[in-house]
Amino acid sequence: MKFPSFCNLSVWRVSGTMGVWTFLLLLIALLKSDVANSNYLIGLGSYDITGPAADVNMMGYANTEQVASGVHFRLRARTFIVGEPKGNRVVFVNLDACMGSQLVTIKVLERLKARYGDIYTENNVAISGIHTHAGPGGYLQYVVYIVTSLGFVRQSFDVLVDGIEKSIVQAHENLRPGSIFVNKGEILDAGVNRSPSGYLNNPAEERNKYKYNVDKEMSLLKFVDDQWGPVGSFNWFATHGTSMSRTNSLVSGDNKGAAARFMEDWFERKGSVRKDSVEFDDDSLPRRISNIIPSLNNNHHELLELAASFQSPPGRPATKTSSVARRVRGVLRQDGKPRFVSAFCQSNCGDVSPNTLGAFCIDTGLPCDFNHSTCGGKNELCYGKGPGYPDEFESTRIIGERQFKKAVELFNGASEQVKGKVDFRHAFLDFSKLEVNVSIGGASKIVKTCPAAMGFGFAAGTTDGPGAFDFKQGDDQGNPFWRLVRNLLKTPDKEQIDCQYPKPILLDTGEMKLPYDWAPSILPIQILRIGQFVILSVPGEFTTMAGRRLRDAVKTVLSGDKSFGSNIHVVIAGLTNTYSQYVTTFEEYEVQRYEGASTLYGPHTLSAYIQEFKKLAHALISGLPVESGPQPPDLLSKQIGLLTPVVMDGTPLGVNFGDCTSDVPKNSTFKRGDTVSVTFCSACPRNDLMTEGTFSLVEYLQGKDSWVPAYDDDDFCLRFKWSRPFKLSTHSKATLEWRIPQDVAPGVYRIKHFGAAKGLLGSTRHFTGSSSAFVVTH
């Protein structure tokens, strides 16, 4: 065998070394290029915004009799921040609330400026509502949106501002290098069109481009921390937050809030059992409690003896932090690891109902009138039925579960990495007098939007929540009696009547100014860009076809920029930054169903949005700034609130706050699927909102004397119901209902209540009480 000479060997070594270094340099260059285009700073945060669970009218249905009296499950503000390592950032906040509020947005931005300077401003912060109709109202600044809540409710407002700020602060403090992935897919059974006659008025050639009369697509972002792995997901899907009805009185995030609960718990459980996938059971949802506590020896007699040793004690004083300390999710968080945050965001849901069985007459069971959604001429009898009808809680669970399951599928399958710039554009526009260039009969024409006004069809409500009196959807004429009533408030002039045509004006809200503005005129529009993923923030509810037109128009503009690549994802984030009701197509407006009658700024409202969003899109791809536009008013100092405060709480003679007044029967045994109900002497929940805490708790006996938190009022299965014997009574009670999940661990349990009572001099005393223990078997 011949070996190379020393000289040749040296040459070989040198050339080999140079080759290795060249390879490494090329690899580093490629990695640097990839990092520059795909790696971001990502941070997620979440904070409790449940608010007052008593006495406050709920926002959404405008039903004066729908007043909060307990908690179905808690509400949260969920935030993501995405930024370039040394460049732009965008903030998106998803609220378990009916909609964004201009006043809330103003005050949050003021706090962010005081804390961070100009990092987070109106330009790059979006605050969007999921459109639950089961959250406390009174937090918007315009009269028409707070009439039913007896005006402004400071407590509702403050908890939103505080919670949004804290969720953003969490996200900011969690900012770390990471990656983002996008995925999308269809959900076929979570929404139907509640105004099909309006949709059918759109051109046939346009309708023929789409398979369905509502959007079925969910778009999901998956956030992956470089160190911790997946830390959250946000998705956008269009369906109304009206699975809970207009008679429900429990604070609830409705189907989207439920889906978020399910997915966050799924991920927590998945992590605890080290699984990469989830198996679903039609009768239950993933829970983690059965995986984190050991099962006792399932000897029924021994368990009964053990339970009998824990009888209900008298109510006793507690510390303010006691309910926070016993929260289930607070106990289970891993030190140092960011909380997994999953948000189910709203999109163009204007004509999309979660009541998928359709609308029927409650007196006959027959379908409602197709064009007017009436039964024998009455709108009050026409209701949409959810998949769990007549159980609205079950409908909420089912629609929430369908979104959750699809989100898990998209989350597990997300492989398209988001790459590219982070950027944004924002503008304020006066929609009461915006000039719009439209094409009519092939000719270009300048038209104008109008001061806000609501039509007669608005008062008819929808099949999700019918109105009253003799109003009906599709009314393009009005009637003399209600015109007379309208004129007592404000008579619209001819210019306004002509501008809003064919809408017959019921309330001329844009021109009503006493005691302050009844409706907004200055609205924000905003584009957030994260690589090839684009969010259009709109301050209202776009119908299906209106949303399609807007998305397509913006996508056409953006496709001219090669930096987006060939796969641009454009989503609409509805009810963002402020609220201005509905946006329909011109053709849907002509029909004047509820959505058209609630399109405030006239028949050309959608054309105005498309025109102005295209301007933002052009500015985005050209790198040019846009004019900020006229600032909206801050009406906080003008707000009037008529909700009476809590004067004091009291108890019957010989009874303590926290006493269990209706206990479980002695030696009780319950099975999975049963309901356990106990009642406590309580006080008004407005005394302490238990923010990041709980009013109700189910505890599990571990060993012989250690009680472990198992379920709290952040759980779908535990309901907190509060009531007074009559309106001005100082006495009240709390009924806690636990619907035992199918996957609960057998053993000994008890139910616990936390509350706060107000004394005559204004002092607040916290208290707690427990039921007797009981046994749960398979």
Side-chain angles (χ1 to χ4, degrees):
M1 180 181 291
K2 293 185 68 175
F3 291 94
S5 68
F6 179 81
C7 180
N8 289 338
L9 184 62
S10 297
V11 171
W12 176 80
R13 283 175 176 169
V14 170
S15 61
T17 302
M18 290 179 63
V20 170
W21 279 109
T22 302
F23 172 77
L24 288 174
L25 288 171
L26 285 170
L27 181 62
I28 290 169
L30 286 170
L31 286 173
K32 282 186 175 180
S33 173
D34 189 52
V35 167
N37 288 325
S38 64
N39 278 13
Y40 302 105
L41 293 175
I42 59 173
L44 287 89
S46 175
Y47 204 81
D48 189 351
I49 56 167
T50 302
D55 300 331
V56 177
N57 184 252
M58 289 181 165
M59 183 65 205
Y61 287 116
N63 176 16
T64 57
E65 297 179 359
Q66 190 191 15
V67 176
S69 61
V71 177
H72 179 207
F73 58 91
R74 288 194 163 260
L75 311 180
R76 302 197 70 80
R78 296 175 171 89
T79 295
F80 74 71
I81 300 177
V82 174
E84 297 167 340
K86 293 183 179 180
N88 290 332
R89 293 181 185 178
V90 293
V91 182
F92 189 90
V93 185
N94 189 62
L95 301 179
D96 286 346
C98 195
M99 66 278 289
S101 157
Q102 185 68 72
L103 190 57
V104 167
T105 301
I106 288 171
K107 296 308 175 185
V108 168
L109 291 173
E110 287 178 359
R111 292 192 184 187
L112 293 177
K113 184 172 181 61
R115 186 184 289 269
Y116 298 118
D118 292 330
I119 297 177
Y120 306 118
T121 69
E122 66 192 24
N123 296 317
N124 64 344
V125 176
I127 304 173
S128 179
I130 63 170
H131 210 37
T132 174
H133 285 41
Y139 62 91
L140 291 97
Q141 70 171 350
Y142 297 102
V143 173
V144 76
Y145 306 130
I146 54 176
V147 167
T148 57
S149 61
L150 300 178
F152 188 69
V153 180
R154 186 76 199 211
Q155 205 171 31
S156 293
F157 174 79
D158 284 344
V159 77
L160 275 171
V161 175
D162 291 345
I164 294 167
E165 180 194 19
K166 286 181 171 67
S167 74
I168 293 173
V169 169
Q170 275 187 26
H172 177 85
E173 292 177 349
N174 285 335
L175 278 169
R176 299 167 53 83
S179 301
I180 306 170
F181 298 86
V182 61
N183 202 0
K184 57 187 179 182
E186 288 187 337
I187 311 177
L188 300 181
D189 53 1
V192 296
N193 198 305
R194 69 184 187 189
S195 291
S197 62
Y199 181 88
L200 286 173
N201 208 46
N202 291 306
E205 60 271 22
E206 182 179 33
R207 288 186 279 110
N208 290 338
K209 293 192 300 182
Y210 304 98
K211 189 174 180 180
Y212 305 105
N213 63 359
V214 296
D215 285 338
K216 302 287 188 179
E217 189 169 82
M218 172 183 281
S219 296
L220 179 139
L221 290 180
K222 176 179 180 178
F223 299 95
V224 182
D225 184 283
D226 280 358
Q227 177 183 353
W228 295 108
V231 290
S233 68
F234 277 57
N235 68 69
W236 288 262
F237 175 75
T239 193
H240 247 78
T242 48
S243 292
M244 301 296 289
S245 75
R246 68 194 300 273
T247 60
N248 162 64
S249 65
L250 301 186
V251 172
S252 173
D254 209 274
N255 57 70
K256 285 189 176 290
R261 293 291 178 283
F262 300 157
M263 188 155 182
E264 288 174 349
D265 284 349
W266 162 77
F267 187 84
E268 197 170 81
R269 175 175 179 172
K270 181 173 81 81
S272 70
V273 297
R274 301 185 181 278
K275 279 188 176 183
D276 292 325
S277 61
V278 63
E279 292 181 2
F280 297 102
D281 188 311
D282 290 339
D283 297 321
S284 65
L285 287 161
R287 274 292 305 170
R288 64 200 178 292
I289 192 65
S290 58
N291 287 337
I292 62 166
I293 55 179
S295 294
L296 294 176
N297 181 16
N298 196 13
N299 184 310
H300 190 232
H301 179 70
E302 289 180 9
L303 293 179
L304 281 175
E305 284 189 352
L306 193 57
S309 65
F310 293 96
Q311 295 302 302
S312 174
R316 62 185 187 275
T319 64
K320 180 178 174 65
T321 58
S322 58
S323 82
V324 177
R326 299 301 286 172
R327 276 187 80 240
V328 172
R329 286 153 187 81
V331 172
L332 294 174
R333 285 193 63 189
Q334 180 179 336
D335 289 340
K337 182 177 181 178
R339 172 189 291 170
F340 184 83
V341 178
S342 181
F344 286 68
C345 311
Q346 195 54 269
S347 191
N348 54 317
C349 67
D351 53 359
V352 188
S353 170
N355 296 311
T356 53
L357 299 185
F360 294 87
C361 298
I362 58 175
D363 56 342
T364 66
L366 297 174
C368 307
D369 174 82
F370 183 75
N371 290 314
H372 302 290
S373 295
T374 55
C375 300
K378 296 182 178 180
N379 62 70
E380 303 100 313
L381 299 176
C382 178
Y383 275 90
K385 293 182 179 180
Y389 181 86
D391 186 341
E392 62 191 303
F393 295 95
E394 182 65 3
S395 291
T396 300
R397 183 194 68 80
I398 292 170
I399 298 298
E401 185 181 15
R402 289 171 180 173
Q403 292 176 77
F404 154 63
K405 285 183 176 181
K406 177 56 66 172
V408 168
E409 177 189 319
L410 297 178
F411 181 86
N412 285 335
S415 59
E416 180 187 338
Q417 189 166 357
V418 176
K419 299 181 180 181
K421 300 177 183 177
V422 173
D423 208 349
F424 48 83
R425 291 295 184 275
H426 175 284
F428 286 113
L429 303 165
D430 187 346
F431 265 75
S432 69
K433 53 182 180 182
L434 203 60
E435 290 190 346
V436 188
N437 193 328
V438 298
S439 177
I440 299 177
S444 179
K445 182 180 179 181
I446 300 296
V447 295
K448 282 189 175 183
T449 54
C450 325
M454 297 190 292
F456 278 68
F458 154 80
T462 71
T463 57
D464 291 336
F469 304 110
D470 55 347
F471 296 103
K472 64 180 180 180
Q473 295 192 65
D475 183 356
D476 59 0
Q477 300 298 319
N479 71 56
F481 173 77
W482 290 111
R483 280 198 179 90
L484 180 63
V485 173
R486 170 201 69 189
N487 292 343
L488 295 174
L489 294 170
K490 171 70 173 67
T491 305
D493 59 24
K494 185 178 184 304
E495 183 180 0
Q496 173 73 326
I497 291 171
D498 291 344
C499 187
Q500 292 279 352
Y501 182 82
K503 177 198 295 175
I505 297 172
L506 176 64
L507 289 172
D508 193 13
T509 52
E511 299 183 315
M512 297 165 70
K513 305 293 183 182
L514 295 176
Y516 45 88
D517 291 358
W518 278 55
S521 58
I522 297 170
L523 302 179
I525 62 170
Q526 180 185 52
I527 296 181
L528 304 180
R529 177 188 179 180
I530 307 168
Q532 71 268 34
F533 194 86
V534 176
I535 302 170
L536 309 181
S537 299
V538 299
E541 303 174 58
F542 278 57
T543 61
T544 299
M545 194 64 85
R548 288 168 175 170
R549 290 184 188 179
L550 176 62
R551 285 198 307 262
D552 288 349
V554 171
K555 192 171 183 178
T556 298
V557 174
L558 299 180
S559 63
D561 183 346
K562 293 182 180 179
S563 70
F564 281 93
S566 60
N567 199 15
I568 304 173
H569 303 271
V570 180
V571 298
I572 288 175
L575 308 113
T576 301
N577 293 329
T578 191
Y579 183 63
S580 59
Q581 293 175 248
Y582 283 75
V583 180
T584 63
T585 66
F586 181 87
E587 294 82 1
E588 291 165 351
Y589 185 91
E590 288 183 311
V591 176
Q592 280 298 296
R593 286 185 63 95
Y594 175 84
E595 294 81 13
S598 302
T599 296
L600 297 184
Y601 307 102
H604 303 294
T605 301
L606 175 59
S607 295
Y609 273 106
I610 291 173
Q611 171 182 285
E612 299 303 318
F613 263 104
K614 287 171 70 175
K615 291 179 183 178
L616 288 192
H618 279 294
L620 187 76
I621 63 176
S622 63
L624 297 175
V626 295
E627 292 185 14
S628 60
Q631 287 291 314
D634 178 344
L635 301 176
L636 182 59
S637 63
K638 297 184 177 182
Q639 296 300 312
I640 299 169
L642 302 177
L643 179 67
T644 55
V646 180
V647 178
M648 67 169 291
D649 296 282
T651 64
L653 192 63
V655 178
N656 300 317
F657 289 111
D659 280 0
C660 189
T661 57
S662 177
D663 204 356
V664 293
K666 193 173 182 179
N667 296 324
S668 291
T669 298
F670 297 92
K671 296 179 180 179
R672 294 171 175 177
D674 289 346
T675 297
V676 184
S677 179
V678 295
T679 301
F680 296 89
C681 179
S682 192
C684 184
R686 285 197 283 154
N687 298 327
D688 188 326
L689 305 181
M690 301 297 175
T691 301
E692 289 292 4
T694 184
F695 289 109
S696 50
L697 184 69
V698 174
E699 294 181 317
Y700 176 92
L701 183 63
Q702 191 172 43
K704 300 293 183 181
D705 56 6
S706 179
W707 289 99
V708 177
Y711 300 89
D712 59 22
D713 65 13
D714 217 11
D715 278 291
F716 198 84
C717 64
L718 183 59
R719 299 176 196 170
F720 163 59
K721 298 181 176 180
W722 178 84
S723 63
R724 294 187 182 99
F726 55 90
K727 189 169 185 179
L728 298 178
S729 175
T730 59
H731 298 172
S732 64
K733 65 180 181 179
T735 299
L736 277 55
E737 295 178 355
W738 182 37
R739 284 155 177 79
I740 302 175
Q742 294 295 330
D743 62 349
V744 73
V748 177
Y749 289 82
R750 71 179 181 184
I751 296 177
K752 198 166 186 177
H753 172 48
F754 296 95
K758 191 171 185 179
L760 186 59
L761 299 179
S763 61
T764 301
R765 296 172 290 160
H766 289 78
F767 62 86
T768 185
S770 301
S771 73
S772 296
F774 52 90
V775 174
V776 174
T777 63
H778 285 292

